Amino acid sequence: MAGLQDEVDVLRRISLFANIEPARLKLLAFTSDRVTFSAGQELFHEGDAGDAAYVIIDGAVDVLKDTDDGEQLLVTLKKNAFVGDIAILCDVPRTATVRAVERIETLKIRKEHFLRLLIEFPEMAVEVTRVLAQRLQKTTDDLTACREELSHTQGG
Amino acid sequence: MEPSLFTYIWRHSKADQIWTLIVVLVAMPLVFYAYELPKKIVNGPIAGGEGLDLPGAQKDFLKFEFSVPEWISETGTFTLYGGIPLDRFSYLYALCAAFLLLVCINGLFKYYINTYKGRVGERMLRRLRYSLLDRILRFPQSQFRRIQASQMATMIKDEVEPLGAFIGDAFVTPVFQGGLALVAMAFILAQNVILGCVALGVVLAQAVIIPRLRRRLLDLSRRRQLESRALAGRVGELVDGIQEIHVNDASNYERAEMASRLSRIFFIRYELFQRKFFIKFLNNFLAQFTPFLFYLVGGLAVIQGEMDLGSLVAVIAAYKDLPSPIRELINWDQSRLDVQIKYSQVIEQFESDNMIPPEMQEPVTETVPPLAGNVSASNLGVTDDTGATLLQRTTFNVPIEGQTAVVGLVNSGAESTSEVLAKLLLPTNGGIEIGGKDVKDMSESTLGRRLGYVGPDPYLTLASIRDNLLYGLRHVPLRDPEGETRTALELSESKRSANTLLDIDAEWVDYEAAGVSGREELDERIVEVLKTVDLAEDIFELGLRGSIDPASDPELAEQVLTARRELRGRLETLPLSELVEPFDPTKYNHHATLAENLLFGTAVGDEFAPEILASNAYFLEVLHATGLDKELFEMGREIARTVIELFSGLPEDHPFFEQLSFMDAEEMPEYEAVIARTAGLDVEKMKADDLTMLLKLPFAYIEPRHRLGLMTDDLEARLLEARTKFSADLPEDLADAIEFYEPEVYNAASSLQDNVLLGRVAYGIADAHSQVHAAIQAVLSELKLRDAVFEVGLNFSVGSGGKRLTSLQRQKLSLARALLKRPDLLIVNRAFASLNANNQDQMVARVLEAVKPADGKGGSGMFWVLQNPSSATHFDYALVFEDGTVAEKGKPNELNKSGSKLAEMIEQS
C-alpha cells in the first residue's frame, strides 16, 4: 500500500491544496483515512448528511443526480478529483450521489479538519472561493444554455 | 406480630427453652463435683490427709453415703454403695481418672447446651427474618413510598442479628443464675440473719439504682439504632443518586451531611459507653461493698462476742458464690433491654394497617380459570395521599377480550385507571370489576396469571434475559425437581422456622400458561414473542458478543469452529478476501497492531493488557532475547520524530490530535525530551521509563492505518520468531493470562463473533465491518447456529435492575414477558416513551396483531394507555381521559372527527 508521501503528492496536484506547505499536507494526509471502495459502491448518497470529503487517489467515480426519470449522470471524475466539498462547506445534505466506477482509492478528509484548514490557511479559503466561483460560472453558463434551448423548443 | 420479644420467643420456642433448662439442671451437680474433686485430690492422696499418710492405709473409692436422721439408721448415715478400697497410689490414680472423666463429661454437656441454644437462636432468627420478608411482600403499595430499601435491608440483616445470640439464653439464664443467687442468699441468711439482711439490702439497692441509671441508656440505644438505620438509608441514596451528585457538584455537601451523621452516632455511642462503664463500676463497687460491711459489722459482732468466728467465715465463704450469678443476671438484663429495643424498633417498621391478607397470595397449584365478561368501572375515584384527585366519577364498560385504547394527556387519569385495574392502586371511591367481580377482591394468583401489566419503568431482576422472561410463568412449583434437592434435615428446619416449604429448585415454569407443551416449544414461543416486541435481533447480537465456556458446552464450541472454517473458506474469494485478514500463526497480521501480533492471543486479566504491555517483564525479556528491542526502540524514535514533526506548533485542542492514536497532545513535550535523552544510547543503558514510552509507539502501529512505511518483510519475519518464542517460553504462572489464537481451537476469552472471525477486519475499506458482519450472520444461518447464538443471548445477565440493557430494551423485555403468559387482558401503561411516534405505532400494530385469537388459541384483550394518541385507530374501542375522568368513549374511527377531543389530541401529537 502506498505511503503518506504518495498521498501528499496527490494532494499537491489538487488546486485547492496547491498553495499549502508540504508539511501541513503531510499532516492532513496522516490524520485522514485511506479508504478503498469497490466498483459500484457509493461514497455517499444524495440527501445523506455529509461528514467528510474525498480525494480520489486512484480510479474514477460517477457523480449522479436523482431525477424524476431516474438517476442522471452529471460527470465522471478521475484521479486527483475532490468530491463532497459542498456538503461539508455549506452544511447541507449531499447534493449528489457519488459512486465508484471501478475499484478506487480515496483519502477521506473529515469535515472538521477541512474547516480548520480553511481558517488556518487563508490562501486555501481563497482557493476554495475561486473553485466555487468557477463552478458557479459554469452552472450559470449551463443554465443560460438550457434556457435558450428551452425557449427555442417552446418557440419552435 | 407479638409486641413483646418475650412473648414472641416463648410462643415459638417453649419446648426448646424448657429442654435447655432441664439439661442445664441435670449438668449442674457434675459441675459442682468437678470443682470439689481437685480439693479432694490435694487433701487426700497428695497431702496424705484423711489418714492416708499411714502405711497400708486404704480409702473407699466411689463410696456413696447420705446423712440421715438417726431414726432411720443408727450410725446416722445411709450407705448406698460401699466403694472400692484402694491404697494411696491407686486412690490418686482413681481420683485423677475421675477428674478427667468429669472434665470430658462437663465439656460435652457444655458443648451440647451451647449448640442447642445456638440452634434455637438461629431458628428464631430465621423465623423472624422470614416473617419480616414476608411482610415486605404483603405491604400495601402506598407503604413503598415512604420506606428506603437499604433501611429495610439493614433491619432484616443487622438489627435483628443480636437476637439470635440472646434467644438461647432468654429463659435459661434468669432461671438458672437467679436460682443460684437465691440459693447463695438463702445460705447466707441461714448462717446469719443480720449479715444476710445486709447482703440482701445491697442487692436490692442494686436492683433499684441500676434500672434508673439505665433509662438514659435505653434512650441512647434506641437513638443509636435509628441513627444507624438512617445512615444505611442515606448510603443507599448515595449509591442510587450518584449521577445527581456528580452533575450538581454535590459531593461535598454529601460529605458534610455524612460527617454530621457519623458525628451524631459517635457521640451517642460515646455517651453510651460512658454510662455503660459507669454502671459496671457501680456494680463492682457494690459487690465489694458487701464484704466490707461483713468485715466491719461481722467483725464488731465477733469481737463483742455476739457472733462466733465460724459463722462469719461461713458467711464470707458463702458470699463468694453470690456476685457471679448476680453479675450474670445483670449482663443478661442488659442484653435483654438491648434486644427488646431492637426488636420493637424493627417490628414497628413492619406494621401496616392495610397489609395484604395472606390468603390473597396463597400458592395455587390448580389452573386459574380465565377471566371473562366485561371490564367495568363505576364511579371510580382515586385520591392520593397528598389529597390530589387522580381520578373522579369514572365510569366505563368494555369487553375484556376487546382491544381498548386509552388516550389522555399525562395525569389525565388514564394511567391511574390502568393501575387500579392492575390492583397497583386502590380506589378511594367505586371500583373496577372484571366479569362482575371487584378487582380489589381478586387474589394475586388470579390477577398475576390472568392479567399482564407493563408499566412505564419496568424492573428487571439481576438474572439472565431468559429468567426475566420466565418470571411471569413461575408462580408455584409444578413438577418435582430431578433427584433430591433438599435433605430431610433442611426440610424439617424450614418447618421449624415456619419458612415456606416450596422448593426453589423444583420446576416452576408453567408451560400450559404459555400455551406450549414443553421446553422446546417454549423456546420457539420466546423467539416469536421477542420478534413481536422487536427485541429478537438485539438478543442475537448480545449472543454474538457473548462468550461461552467451551468446557461446559463443547458441542457449541465445535459448531463455532465449523462456522470459522466455513467463513475461512469464503474468505478465500473476493470480495471477502480483502475484508478480513484471519489470524494465522505463521503469518504477520497487517491489520492488527504490532503488539497484538507478538502476543497473538486474547489477554485474560491485566497481566498482558495492551496499555501496560510495554512494561511487562516477560514481554520485554522476549524482545530482548530476540534482539527486537533495539529495532523497536529505533522504530519508536522514528514514530515519535515523525509525530513531533507533523504536529509541532499545533495547539493542543486542534482537531487533528483526535486522529493521533500514538500519544496525547500533552505527552508531546515529554517525547521530545525522551528523543533528546536517548539519542545514540544503547538499549541496555536506557532508563526503563524511557524505553517503555518509546516501545508503546511501535506496539500500537498498524501499517495500513498509519502508513509510515515502517514495516519490512525482514521485520515481520523476526516478529514472527518472537511470537513463537513468546508462546513457547511462556512461564507457567502466566499461562492463564492469555488465550492464544489457534485456528483449530475455540478461544474461551473471546466472544462468539470473534471466534467465528478469528481475524481482523481490514482497515481502509469502505463498509468492511458491516459486510463482514453480514457474512458471519450468513454462515451462522446456513449452519443453523442462529438458535444456539440466540440461546447465548438469552443467557446474558441483565445486570442489577436490568441496567446492562437500555431502557427501551427493558421495556420491550417487560412487554415480552407479559405476552409470554398469554393474559386474558394485557394492560400497557405508557410504555415505550423512548420510541419515536412512528416506531410506537408499529409496535402497537405488531402487538395487537400478535394477541389476536388464532388457530383455536384464545387471544388477549388489550387495555393500552397510549403514548401516541394517533395509534388509537388500531383499536376497537377508545376511552379518552381528561381531568381525571372519561371525556369521550366509542369506536376510534367514529370518534376521530373534527371537534372531538380525540381528533384534537391526534392533531396536537
Side-chain angles (χ1 to χ4, degrees):
Chain A
M1 183 169 278
L4 270 186
Q5 201 50 53
D6 303 334
E7 291 157 15
V8 174
D9 292 343
V10 174
L11 284 176
R12 292 186 66 175
R13 264 176 247 136
I14 298 173
S15 55
L16 203 56
F17 302 114
N19 295 324
I20 299 177
E21 50 183 299
R24 277 297 143 105
L25 280 187
K26 195 170 175 191
L27 182 61
L28 180 64
F30 183 74
T31 51
S32 303
D33 288 327
R34 178 87 169 232
V35 183
T36 311
F37 291 85
S38 44
Q41 229 178 343
E42 284 178 1
L43 279 67
F44 48 81
H45 195 92
E46 183 177 343
D48 289 352
D51 61 343
Y54 297 83
V55 174
I56 313 296
I57 296 176
D58 197 18
V61 293
D62 280 345
V63 181
L64 307 139
K65 186 92 184 154
D66 280 340
T67 64
D68 293 341
D69 307 329
E71 266 178 359
Q72 199 191 338
L73 177 68
L74 294 184
V75 64
T76 298
L77 297 171
K78 291 236 159 46
K79 193 173 165 175
N80 301 341
F82 187 54
V83 294
D85 48 346
I86 301 286
I88 65 174
L89 273 172
C90 314
D91 233 347
V92 293
R94 298 289 189 193
T95 51
T97 299
V98 173
R99 184 182 297 148
V101 177
E102 55 199 321
R103 185 188 163 83
I104 59 162
E105 290 276 333
T106 66
L107 196 62
K108 180 178 175 183
I109 298 176
R110 284 181 179 70
K111 178 178 172 177
E112 62 270 32
H113 294 178
F114 185 69
L115 295 180
R116 187 71 185 230
L117 279 181
L118 286 186
I119 295 167
E120 281 166 18
F121 296 94
E123 310 94 303
M124 192 168 148
V126 172
E127 191 60 33
V128 168
T129 322
R130 207 173 57 78
V131 171
L132 289 179
Q134 273 174 358
R135 277 196 212 151
L136 183 64
Q137 164 82 45
K138 187 175 178 300
T139 313
T140 318
D141 288 352
D142 287 354
L143 186 65
T144 319
C146 276
R147 278 216 181 119
E148 271 170 27
E149 201 174 315
L150 203 64
S151 65
H152 278 303
T153 348
Q154 278 171 350
Chain B
M1 275 176 93
E2 292 79 357
S4 143
L5 175 61
F6 274 83
T7 329
Y8 184 78
I9 298 175
W10 187 247
R11 178 167 299 167
H12 299 297
S13 67
K14 241 184 329 249
D16 290 322
Q17 300 288 354
I18 293 170
W19 173 244
T20 323
L21 203 59
I22 291 171
V23 177
V24 168
L25 291 178
V26 167
M28 238 25 248
L30 293 169
V31 174
F32 283 129
Y33 199 61
Y35 286 133
E36 281 301 305
L37 211 48
K39 225 190 297 172
K40 223 174 174 155
I41 296 172
V42 175
N43 292 341
I46 296 175
E50 301 174 44
L52 274 166
D53 51 341
L54 302 171
Q58 286 196 331
K59 187 82 185 164
D60 294 330
F61 178 62
L62 287 182
K63 183 173 175 182
F64 272 96
E65 243 180 17
F66 300 97
S67 306
V68 287
E70 280 184 18
W71 54 267
I72 295 179
S73 163
E74 283 174 18
T75 53
T77 53
F78 174 76
T79 310
L80 191 67
Y81 176 61
I84 312 155
L86 293 171
D87 62 19
R88 190 172 173 181
F89 285 101
S90 309
Y91 191 50
L92 177 67
Y93 298 147
L95 283 179
C96 287
F99 178 70
L100 192 62
L101 188 69
L102 274 180
V103 167
C104 290
I105 292 174
N106 282 333
L108 287 173
F109 258 113
K110 204 162 196 175
Y111 169 72
Y112 176 79
I113 292 168
N114 283 338
T115 323
Y116 198 89
K117 284 198 294 195
R119 193 173 54 177
V120 173
E122 286 305 317
R123 264 182 209 148
M124 293 294 290
L125 189 59
R126 178 175 174 186
R127 175 190 289 268
L128 182 61
R129 282 182 170 154
Y130 179 80
S131 56
L132 295 179
L133 290 168
D134 176 68
R135 282 171 168 259
I136 292 184
L137 293 174
R138 296 199 289 114
F139 274 160
Q141 286 291 322
S142 55
Q143 192 95 355
F144 292 98
R145 274 182 227 132
R146 27 186 204 89
I147 57 177
Q148 282 178 317
S150 40
Q151 287 200 2
M152 292 278 132
T154 187
M155 279 189 262
I156 293 175
K157 193 197 149 286
D158 304 319
E159 293 188 20
V160 300
E161 178 103 41
L163 266 64
F166 175 76
I167 285 167
D169 288 324
F171 290 94
V172 177
T173 305
V175 171
F176 180 64
Q177 300 291 352
L180 286 183
L182 277 181
V183 170
M185 189 53 90
F187 191 70
I188 298 169
L189 275 169
Q191 295 292 329
N192 186 297
V193 179
I194 302 169
L195 291 182
C197 287
V198 167
L200 191 63
V202 174
V203 171
L204 287 179
Q206 263 175 304
V208 174
I209 297 169
I210 289 168
R212 278 172 187 278
L213 291 172
R214 274 222 187 107
R215 259 177 230 155
R216 174 77 183 146
L217 218 58
L218 297 187
D219 181 44
L220 285 170
S221 99
R222 187 175 296 125
R223 277 176 47 205
R224 176 184 61 182
Q225 188 179 354
L226 292 180
E227 282 289 348
S228 315
R229 185 188 296 166
L231 177 74
R234 285 289 297 148
V235 172
E237 258 188 5
L238 220 57
V239 174
D240 289 343
I242 193 70
Q243 287 191 356
E244 296 303 317
I245 294 176
H246 291 315
V247 299
N248 288 308
D249 181 26
S251 70
N252 290 309
Y253 180 77
E254 293 294 345
R255 281 188 187 98
E257 212 267 350
M258 284 290 158
S260 89
R261 277 178 193 280
L262 292 175
S263 154
R264 279 203 295 281
I265 293 177
F266 172 84
F267 283 105
I268 290 171
R269 295 184 72 104
Y270 181 52
E271 192 182 341
L272 208 56
F273 284 126
Q274 277 179 318
R275 289 185 177 262
K276 234 181 202 168
F277 288 122
F278 178 70
I279 292 172
K280 212 164 200 170
F281 156 75
L282 205 65
N283 272 329
N284 288 338
F285 173 74
L286 287 176
Q288 294 304 314
F289 187 65
T290 318
F292 157 76
L293 285 178
F294 285 176
Y295 293 127
L296 191 68
V297 178
L300 285 174
V302 169
I303 295 169
Q304 287 168 1
E306 283 164 26
M307 188 176 167
D308 65 287
L309 185 61
S311 306
L312 180 60
V313 173
V315 167
I316 291 174
Y319 183 74
K320 249 191 13 251
D321 295 333
L322 188 59
S324 142
I326 296 269
R327 197 167 47 237
E328 290 290 322
L329 275 179
I330 289 171
N331 286 346
W332 172 84
D333 196 43
Q334 179 66 47
S335 44
R336 174 185 68 89
L337 289 169
D338 245 27
V339 295
Q340 211 150 29
I341 291 171
K342 290 213 157 88
Y343 176 80
S344 59
Q345 293 283 315
V346 168
I347 62 162
E348 190 185 282
Q349 294 297 314
F350 286 83
E351 293 292 351
S352 172
D353 296 338
N354 311 314
M355 208 64 104
I356 300 169
E359 52 274 18
M360 285 288 178
Q361 297 181 335
E362 246 350 78
V364 176
T365 324
E366 303 81 49
T367 310
V368 177
L371 294 170
N374 283 351
V375 177
S376 56
S378 56
N379 198 22
L380 185 63
V382 178
T383 310
D384 74 5
D385 50 5
T386 64
T389 306
L390 301 176
L391 209 56
Q392 54 185 337
R393 295 185 305 281
T394 299
T395 302
F396 61 82
N397 194 6
V398 294
I400 189 168
E401 68 280 4
Q403 303 191 329
T404 309
V406 186
V407 185
L409 298 174
V410 173
N411 287 335
S412 57
E415 306 90 344
S416 305
T417 308
S418 75
E419 282 170 22
V420 172
L421 186 50
K423 205 182 163 184
L424 292 173
L425 191 65
L426 290 177
T428 356
N429 297 98
I432 294 191
E433 292 183 349
I434 300 178
K437 196 165 181 227
D438 198 319
V439 167
K440 72 171 186 288
D441 299 329
M442 289 187 179
S443 70
E444 293 195 1
S445 58
T446 304
L447 292 171
R449 300 183 203 186
R450 308 308 324 183
L451 293 189
Y453 176 84
V454 184
D457 192 17
Y459 189 84
L460 301 179
T461 43
L462 175 56
S464 67
I465 290 178
R466 171 186 284 279
D467 281 336
N468 271 293
L469 278 169
L470 297 183
Y471 200 71
L473 294 175
R474 289 177 170 146
H475 312 294
V476 280
L478 291 172
R479 294 167 297 281
D480 286 334
E482 283 170 32
E484 282 297 312
T485 54
R486 293 184 292 184
T487 61
L489 179 66
E490 280 172 329
L491 265 178
S492 82
E493 283 297 337
S494 286
K495 265 186 221 153
R496 279 166 178 278
S497 312
N499 280 200
T500 181
L501 297 180
L502 303 177
D503 186 357
I504 190 68
D505 296 316
E507 276 274 2
W508 288 64
V509 178
D510 186 353
Y511 292 128
E512 197 194 321
V516 296
S517 61
R519 166 100 194 209
E520 267 171 44
E521 273 188 39
L522 182 66
D523 283 350
E524 288 168 25
R525 175 84 183 125
I526 286 177
V527 177
E528 202 177 298
V529 170
L530 289 174
K531 276 186 184 153
T532 302
V533 300
D534 191 26
L535 195 60
E537 233 1 80
D538 289 21
I539 289 176
F540 183 75
E541 288 296 322
L542 283 175
L544 275 182
R545 293 197 300 271
S547 53
I548 59 160
D549 176 10
S552 65
D553 199 349
E555 205 179 319
L556 180 55
E558 192 43 56
Q559 285 169 324
V560 170
L561 290 181
T562 314
R564 182 189 292 175
R565 270 172 237 131
E566 176 63 31
L567 185 71
R568 293 224 163 176
R570 293 179 194 202
L571 288 177
E572 279 161 22
T573 51
L574 276 169
L576 276 176
S577 61
E578 268 194 340
L579 297 178
V580 179
E581 187 170 8
F583 286 126
D584 182 337
T586 59
K587 283 185 191 146
Y588 188 87
N589 190 311
H590 298 91
H591 297 279
T593 65
L594 191 147
E596 282 170 326
N597 265 293
L598 283 169
L599 272 183
F600 209 63
T602 316
V604 183
D606 288 340
E607 191 67 36
F608 293 123
E611 332 50 272
I612 53 167
L613 198 57
S615 45
N616 181 284
Y618 173 66
F619 200 72
L620 291 176
E621 190 188 306
V622 172
L623 290 185
H624 188 68
T626 47
L628 269 170
D629 52 352
K630 278 198 193 72
E631 213 148 336
L632 293 182
F633 154 71
E634 283 305 333
M635 194 168 157
R637 280 174 56 88
E638 173 68 32
I639 294 173
R641 267 201 302 271
T642 311
V643 168
I644 289 166
E645 175 201 315
L646 285 174
F647 285 83
S648 65
L650 283 191
E652 275 186 18
D653 61 345
H654 199 284
F656 280 180
F657 276 113
E658 284 162 27
Q659 297 307 307
L660 179 59
S661 54
F662 292 114
M663 57 182 90
D664 291 334
E666 53 270 30
E667 279 180 320
M668 281 195 30
E670 234 174 294
Y671 270 102
E672 272 180 84
V674 171
I675 289 183
R677 264 206 299 279
T678 53
L681 220 62
D682 213 24
V683 178
E684 279 101 28
K685 293 190 184 126
M686 217 177 302
K687 276 201 291 179
D689 284 355
D690 287 355
L691 187 63
T692 304
M693 270 186 79
L694 285 175
L695 284 182
K696 262 189 202 168
L697 305 179
F699 279 5
Y701 188 74
I702 301 172
E703 181 67 50
R705 175 171 176 196
H706 299 114
R707 313 186 300 277
L708 295 177
L710 296 174
M711 294 305 294
T712 59
D713 289 348
D714 172 58
L715 180 60
E716 281 178 17
R718 299 193 40 207
L719 286 167
L720 286 179
E721 269 171 48
R723 175 196 289 179
T724 317
K725 190 169 168 54
F726 177 83
S727 64
D729 299 349
L730 190 70
E732 225 160 275
D733 58 326
L734 290 178
D736 289 338
I738 185 161
E739 278 269 336
F740 289 110
Y741 299 135
E742 290 175 62
E744 289 302 318
V745 180
Y746 188 89
N747 188 313
S750 300
S751 67
L752 281 182
Q753 184 171 246
D754 287 348
N755 261 292
V756 175
L757 185 63
L758 200 79
R760 272 294 135 83
V761 177
Y763 269 96
I765 295 180
D767 243 7
H769 278 276
S770 53
Q771 289 183 58
V772 171
H773 191 69
I776 292 177
Q777 291 243 27
V779 168
L780 292 173
S781 297
E782 279 165 43
L783 293 174
K784 308 227 178 321
L785 273 175
R786 282 188 68 96
D787 289 350
V789 175
F790 199 78
E791 188 62 37
V792 175
L794 283 178
N795 288 332
F796 174 82
S797 168
V798 301
S800 163
K803 291 200 182 105
R804 292 179 72 196
L805 299 181
T806 64
S807 96
L808 181 60
Q809 285 173 329
R810 282 201 291 275
Q811 286 172 342
K812 286 176 173 178
L813 194 57
S814 165
L815 178 58
R817 163 156 86 196
L819 284 170
L820 198 59
K821 68 177 175 183
R822 297 189 312 156
D824 299 324
L825 180 64
L826 176 55
I827 306 161
V828 183
N829 180 13
R830 295 231 194 264
F832 310 110
S834 45
L835 275 181
N836 66 30
N838 196 16
N839 288 342
Q840 270 182 37
D841 198 60
Q842 288 170 359
M843 175 73 82
V844 168
R846 261 200 321 272
V847 172
L848 289 182
E849 187 57 41
V851 299
K852 273 196 182 134
D855 339 319
K857 282 184 188 171
S860 304
M862 292 292 313
F863 193 87
W864 195 317
V865 180
L866 291 167
Q867 191 75 15
N868 175 21
S870 54
S871 303
T873 47
H874 295 290
F875 291 77
D876 306 336
Y877 198 77
L879 296 172
V880 182
F881 275 80
E882 198 178 61
D883 298 332
T885 191
V886 178
E888 273 176 7
K889 48 192 163 187
K891 290 195 178 5
N893 291 331
E894 292 170 15
L895 274 184
N896 190 11
K897 286 185 202 116
S898 68
S900 80
K901 293 196 179 352
L902 179 63
E904 195 182 324
M905 283 181 192
I906 292 176
E907 182 74 17
Q908 282 168 1
S909 67

